[in-house]
Every structure is written in structure tokens, then in C-alpha cells.
Amino acid sequence: MYWKLRIPLLLGVIGVISGLVQKFPNLFFVNTSYFIRSAVFIGLIGIIFTILEKTNVNEKKVHFTIGIGIILFGIIFDYLIA
């Protein structure tokens, strides 16, 4: 069974960006309000996802287990780094 990379990469990117933002908050946000921090977080995910769409990486088909592995990597990265 094969799967397009769109959903696994989105969930993987959310996990990795979430972990990095929690570990290094001063790298992304310096003395900003919660609203601006949330907008920057969503903007980072949007920019990365747009780049993946424009380069057609999301259209690649991979085996189902690789997709699950990408999702689990994002979740584990977020859990361990924070």
C-alpha cells in the first residue's frame, strides 16, 4: 500500500518545528506577545509546507510504513526535545 507524502510530511514538520520552538524560544521569538508567537509558529509551518508543495516533494508516493515512520519521528522529536 502506497501513500502520498503530503500528510506524513505535514505532521512530521509540525512535530519538528514544535520541538525546536519549545527548545529554543529565543531563536524564534524575542519579547513578543502570545499572538505574535502563534502567528510566527503557524507561518513557519506554512512556509515549509509551501516549499514542499512547490518542489513537488508532497506528490511522491512511499510505502505506508515510511509515512507512519515520518509521523512518529515528528512526534518523538517533539516529545524528546522539549
Side-chain angles (χ1 to χ4, degrees), residues 49-66:
F49 199 67
T50 302
I51 290 170
L52 292 173
E53 283 287 333
K54 294 287 183 187
T55 58
N56 289 330
V57 173
N58 289 345
E59 295 299 320
K60 304 261 190 242
K61 290 190 175 204
V62 295
H63 197 268
F64 184 74
T65 55
I66 293 174

Side-chain angles (χ1 to χ4, degrees), residues 8 11 14 19 22 32-34 36 47 66 68 70-71 77 80 82:
L11 295 175
I14 289 172
Q22 290 176 33
T32 56
S33 68
Y34 182 76
I36 293 174
I47 290 169
I66 293 174
I68 296 295
I70 292 171
I71 293 170
F77 187 86
L80 292 178

Side-chain angles (χ1 to χ4, degrees), residues 23-53:
K23 183 69 172 178
F24 307 109
N26 294 333
L27 182 65
F28 297 102
F29 320 115
V30 179
N31 296 330
T32 56
S33 68
Y34 182 76
F35 178 74
I36 293 174
R37 284 183 280 185
S38 298
V40 169
F41 178 73
I42 293 171
L44 282 171
I45 292 171
I47 290 169
I48 292 170
F49 199 67
T50 302
I51 290 170
L52 292 173
E53 283 287 333

